[in-house]
Amino acid sequence: MVQQDADKHSKAATRIEELRALLHRANRAYYVDAAPFMSDGEFDVLLTELSTLEQSHPELHDPHSPTMRVGGEASSGFETAPHRVPMSSIGNTYSLAEFETWYARALQLLGVSELTLFGDPKFETWYARALQLLGVSELTLFGDPKIDGVALSLRYEQGVLVQALTRGDGEKGDVVTANVRAIRAIPLRLDGTTRAIPAVLEVRGEVYMPTSVFNSINVEREREGDELFQNARNATSGTLKSKDPKVVADRRLAFSAHGRGECEGLTVASHAEFLRALRELGIPVSPLGSTFASQHEAALAIEKFAHARGGLEFGVDGMVVRVDSFALQEILGSTAKSPRWAIAYKYPAEQAKTILLDVVWQVGKGGTITPRATMQPVRVAGSTIQHATLHNIEEIQRRDLRIGDTVLVEKAGEVIPQVIAVVLEARTGREIPIEAPTHCPACQSEVEKDGPKIYCTNAACSAQFREKVKWFVGRDQMDVDGLGGEIIDRLIDAGLIASFADVFLFDAMRIARALTAARAAEGAEKRGEDAQERIDKAFAKLEKDGPGAQALGIIAAAEASKSRGLGRVLAGLGIRHIGASAAKTLARRFKDANELMRATEADLEALDDFGEVTASSVSHWLHSSAAQTIFAELANAGVDLTSKDTSAPAMLNSFFSGKTVVITGTLEKISRSALTEQLEGLGAKVAGSVSKKTHIVIAGTEAGSKLDKAIELGVEVWDEARLQQALAASG
């Protein structure tokens, strides 16, 4: 009997090892070699057999088994961790218009009067400058598609995947290791068959959702009555941040490596060699990458790929071209923002024509009323567009937009829908002019106009509160993970959020019931079923199963956010003129909310980046009964209202040291939050309003009253090109 048991155990152990090896090979064949040798159905059958055997023989557990990709506990949140080597962004080039000023400056730096150009001058000038710096006549370049996915860093130690981080801010990212382990395309253990496994290998790449997978998921979501994903990139991002690794496994995400972080024990001299090494180790890389013997070859490849990218199984918005040699990359170095040895050639945004059906005026967290276009749905850059912002009434009048117009739309940066122009030749004469509202569309209070902007002056406006709560729980404010805009809407509609403090007083089952009821009602409406009957069935299941991971995760995230401190609370309350920078200034000056509420207008005006208007507005709010109530309710809910930010901004020996800077308008190459952090790191004080104390105003497109104020006060105004020049010099 003992011998029989031993024989059974031996056979099971052998079969388990056979299945693990076979399934690992199947994953590599599918994701790395693009040569699958078994169907998905066969894979699933073998995976089930392996799982059954492992459950019967727990003593043979292996954390790197293929079955471990879909197991594990649901995550309650994501910690952050630093990147050993920063994940810097690559500079973009895609238009001649932005190039004109920069090009003249580049020629002066190169000391030449003219260049022979192929394609986009910015790409050519970058290449020529690289040659000038290196003192050589030609460079070997490497180019590969710029996949529209989510940037990820994988860390392997002794060949085992130990950590996966999102890009985050480039210095630190979210730890998503548990979810990444569920992605079949990413090996849990490197393949040392043909190449020695390095001691440490950090691989940078893109996680993405293949188009066919995205389409099939949306078909299923529509069948279940769930809201459809708008595009594959957003679906990828949401999947990667799911609380349940099983969801990640089911979504069949793919991965393509394109860069390196920290490496020990991997000897390669070029990017092309590095990618070959990754492929040998079992890590997917793009089969579309190529080396180019000259800049002319690279330019021709960029032009050719523009026509081929539409037929790929994933979204691509450009091509990344880099110097192939690692030694030459080291010589070229980096600016404060991006490497000098690489550039991303971005293709023009895809455009389409549609009909402007209506303009809906929406109320923001600060009372700003902005127009939103509703259009006939149209497919652009991989997703269906039906809505777009129209900025303000002056922009509408400048473009002479009318209801019923045929308009040209595109996705700026392949992400944000925009109305580009009116197709005037399509007008029939029946189009209707667009008028600005005279009363708030939510509360019917009279509006106030300030330049091109329109405001609702009612502080108790329900629409303002809804948007303020969404802002309050956001990542850069209180960072309550799991409370997205749609969830907030459902909880407010269910009566669970009537104040900021309510965010910290949730009951898990009440959250679950509210979300379940909303989803069930929407599903019933789409299917033509009885809503109450569907809700009752969903509630019965909820009572049996408990509130679930989503509701419990929100409770845990809200509890964790209580300790963020006064600065984050102030940044989140939607106080007019108080953004992240001004909130930091207040938190450095006042030790807690009680001391802040005792501050006089003169105390506030004495602060470095507070002018008369800001000081008066903030003082009025601090001494209002509404502010007193908000702070009292937050304190009673256990929120820490003491200052956590008592340090002064960094003071470095740079051009920006000690200067007060205001950012206004939309910047093309960098987000406001990223620019604010970069400027503060260089010793600047980034203020939210313009005053006589302001040294520089950085004005992007659609700059409004802050730009007007700067001109009125004689403050120096920079465009984005001047900003980038100064940042490069400071870096």
Side-chain angles (χ1 to χ4, degrees):
M1 188 68 175
V2 173
Q3 183 60 45
Q4 286 181 345
D5 290 343
D7 289 343
K8 287 182 180 179
H9 185 276
S10 177
K11 288 180 180 179
T14 300
R15 181 56 176 164
I16 285 173
E17 290 305 315
E18 287 176 352
L19 288 170
R20 286 172 179 169
L22 179 60
L23 294 174
H24 280 312
R25 283 198 298 112
N27 275 332
R28 172 172 181 137
Y30 187 94
Y31 293 104
V32 180
D33 301 329
F37 59 82
M38 70 170 63
S39 68
D40 288 347
E42 290 175 297
F43 187 96
D44 292 339
V45 168
L46 294 175
L47 189 66
T48 300
E49 180 187 350
L50 176 58
S51 177
T52 301
L53 286 170
E54 288 178 340
Q55 290 174 19
S56 300
H57 298 275
E59 71 279 5
L60 299 177
H61 170 76
D62 181 352
H64 308 297
S65 170
T67 59
M68 297 307 293
R69 293 184 183 277
V70 295
E73 296 285 327
S75 173
S76 60
F78 295 93
E79 299 177 352
T80 60
H83 294 292
R84 271 80 165 185
V85 176
M87 288 185 73
S88 59
S89 58
I90 295 175
N92 293 329
T93 173
Y94 42 83
S95 71
L96 295 177
E98 65 163 7
F99 165 73
E100 294 175 0
T101 304
W102 182 91
Y103 180 64
R105 211 163 42 241
L107 290 180
Q108 186 177 20
L109 288 171
L110 289 166
V112 296
S113 58
E114 61 179 344
L115 294 171
T116 302
L117 302 179
F118 303 89
D120 188 314
K122 187 174 178 182
F123 171 78
E124 306 298 333
T125 306
W126 162 80
Y127 180 80
R129 176 139 176 77
L131 298 184
Q132 176 84 5
L133 289 170
L134 295 168
V136 297
S137 59
E138 281 294 354
L139 288 175
T140 298
L141 302 176
F142 189 95
D144 55 0
K146 186 177 183 298
I147 297 175
D148 189 19
V150 177
L152 194 68
S153 179
L154 306 175
R155 183 177 177 86
Y156 292 88
E157 295 180 358
Q158 305 302 326
V160 175
L161 178 66
V162 296
Q163 187 182 64
L165 298 178
T166 62
R167 181 196 295 277
D169 62 5
E171 297 293 331
K172 60 182 182 300
D174 289 331
V175 180
V176 290
T177 313
N179 281 351
V180 165
R181 288 176 60 86
I183 300 174
R184 279 177 52 186
I186 296 175
L188 304 178
R189 188 189 293 274
L190 299 180
D191 183 353
T193 305
T194 59
R195 174 180 286 272
I197 292 176
V200 175
L201 176 63
E202 281 189 351
V203 179
R204 272 71 192 273
E206 296 289 316
V207 177
Y208 63 94
M209 183 176 289
T211 304
S212 58
V213 175
F214 171 73
N215 291 337
S216 66
I217 289 174
N218 263 351
V219 169
E220 180 63 25
R221 291 178 71 83
E222 184 174 24
R223 185 181 300 121
E224 293 296 323
D226 294 330
E227 184 176 352
L228 301 187
F229 288 130
Q230 287 299 304
N231 55 62
R233 189 188 186 284
N234 288 352
T236 300
S237 179
T239 300
L240 198 60
K241 298 300 290 292
S242 171
K243 302 297 184 186
D244 188 353
K246 292 180 182 178
V247 173
V248 184
D250 290 341
R251 297 258 173 96
R252 300 295 294 274
L253 297 180
F255 177 78
S256 182
H258 57 58
R260 60 178 181 148
E262 183 179 14
C263 293
E264 294 180 14
L266 182 66
T267 304
V268 289
S270 69
H271 187 74
E273 287 182 32
F274 176 69
L275 294 186
R276 280 196 295 273
L278 294 187
R279 197 171 188 278
E280 291 172 358
L281 291 167
I283 297 174
V285 299
S286 173
L288 302 175
S290 300
T291 53
F292 308 117
S294 69
Q295 171 264 359
H296 184 49
E297 280 189 19
L300 291 175
I302 287 171
E303 186 176 32
K304 182 178 180 181
F305 186 63
H307 304 290
R309 66 189 182 106
L312 298 176
E313 213 347 40
F314 47 84
V316 172
D317 60 3
M319 179 181 284
V320 176
V321 179
R322 68 193 83 208
V323 173
D324 192 37
S325 165
F326 285 156
L328 297 184
Q329 288 184 13
E330 192 71 25
I331 294 172
L332 283 168
S334 302
T335 67
K337 182 174 179 285
S338 57
R340 294 188 180 94
W341 43 263
I343 196 162
Y345 193 105
K346 301 289 286 292
Y347 295 107
E350 183 181 333
Q351 297 181 340
K353 292 180 182 178
T354 186
I355 305 297
L356 179 61
L357 301 176
D358 195 10
V359 172
V360 177
W361 294 85
Q362 297 181 313
V363 185
K365 68 181 190 306
T368 307
I369 303 174
T370 55
R372 183 179 189 233
T374 297
M375 303 169 291
Q376 281 186 356
V378 62
R379 192 78 175 170
V380 182
S383 64
T384 300
I385 290 178
Q386 189 173 4
H387 302 285
T389 179
L390 296 176
H391 302 292
N392 55 60
I393 188 61
E394 289 188 3
E395 182 67 13
I396 290 173
Q397 293 169 345
R398 183 182 70 79
R399 296 187 179 186
D400 190 24
L401 282 171
R402 304 178 188 181
I403 305 297
D405 266 335
T406 298
V407 293
L408 193 64
V409 297
E410 73 174 29
K411 292 174 73 175
E414 304 290 329
V415 176
I416 304 171
Q418 291 188 355
V419 175
I420 302 303
V422 176
V423 183
L424 293 175
E425 59 269 26
R427 277 193 171 162
T428 64
R430 294 190 295 271
E431 293 78 14
I432 303 171
I434 299 167
E435 301 291 341
T438 57
H439 291 78
C440 173
C443 69
Q444 301 306 311
S445 299
E446 289 190 2
V447 302
E448 175 183 297
K449 197 169 185 295
D450 182 5
K453 295 185 178 180
I454 302 170
Y455 294 94
C456 169
T457 57
N458 177 16
C461 175
S462 59
Q464 285 189 54
F465 174 71
R466 187 177 293 262
E467 296 306 313
K468 283 180 179 179
V469 174
K470 293 176 184 178
W471 175 261
F472 182 69
V473 301
R475 181 165 186 168
D476 293 331
Q477 291 72 245
M478 298 306 289
D479 192 14
V480 184
D481 194 29
L483 278 184
E486 181 183 346
I487 303 297
I488 291 292
D489 282 335
R490 288 174 171 175
L491 296 181
I492 289 177
D493 291 341
L496 298 187
I497 302 179
S499 70
F500 292 109
D502 285 341
V503 170
F504 309 99
L505 300 172
F506 286 137
D507 172 81
M509 186 55 80
R510 292 186 70 194
I511 292 176
R513 287 179 66 87
L515 301 183
T516 298
R519 284 193 289 261
E522 289 173 1
E525 183 179 358
K526 288 184 178 180
R527 294 183 175 188
E529 298 175 353
D530 181 77
Q532 191 57 55
E533 182 179 341
R534 191 176 174 95
I535 290 172
D536 290 342
K537 288 181 180 178
F539 279 177
K541 187 175 186 302
L542 185 64
E543 292 298 327
K544 177 183 176 183
D545 298 341
Q550 183 181 28
L552 293 173
I554 291 172
I555 297 288
E559 185 64 29
S561 73
K562 290 181 180 180
S563 60
R564 306 281 187 232
L566 179 63
R568 298 283 285 272
V569 171
L570 293 173
L573 289 177
I575 308 166
R576 198 168 178 184
H577 302 299
I578 299 298
S581 177
K584 287 180 182 178
T585 299
L586 291 171
R588 293 188 190 108
R589 169 63 178 81
F590 302 100
K591 66 180 182 180
D592 56 31
N594 289 329
E595 184 177 353
L596 173 61
M597 286 188 287
R598 291 195 296 269
T600 65
E601 187 173 329
D603 292 332
L604 298 174
E605 193 172 341
L607 298 174
D608 287 341
D609 53 357
F610 276 60
E612 293 179 11
V613 173
T614 299
S616 175
S617 174
V618 175
S619 177
H620 177 75
W621 185 86
L622 287 172
H623 293 92
S624 68
S625 59
Q628 306 285 330
T629 299
I630 287 172
F631 284 127
E633 289 177 342
L634 289 173
N636 290 336
V639 178
D640 186 350
L641 297 177
T642 61
S643 176
K644 306 288 185 183
D645 192 357
T646 58
S647 60
M651 294 299 290
L652 305 176
N653 185 23
S654 79
F655 172 83
F656 293 100
S657 295
K659 289 184 169 58
T660 298
V661 180
V662 172
I663 307 168
T664 183
T666 302
L667 300 176
E668 189 173 280
K669 296 185 177 180
I670 188 171
S671 68
R672 283 202 190 193
S673 59
L675 178 57
T676 297
E677 186 172 341
Q678 187 172 357
L679 290 172
E680 288 180 344
L682 292 170
K685 299 173 184 176
V686 182
S689 58
V690 180
S691 71
K692 294 178 181 178
K693 302 170 186 176
T694 306
H695 295 93
I696 301 165
V697 169
I698 298 167
T701 58
E702 311 297 338
S705 57
K706 292 179 184 177
L707 176 58
D708 297 336
K709 185 70 172 179
I711 295 172
E712 178 186 332
L713 295 176
V715 176
E716 186 174 358
V717 177
W718 288 5
D719 61 11
E720 194 167 358
R722 176 72 181 87
L723 166 68
Q724 293 297 330
Q725 182 185 24
L727 291 175
S730 298

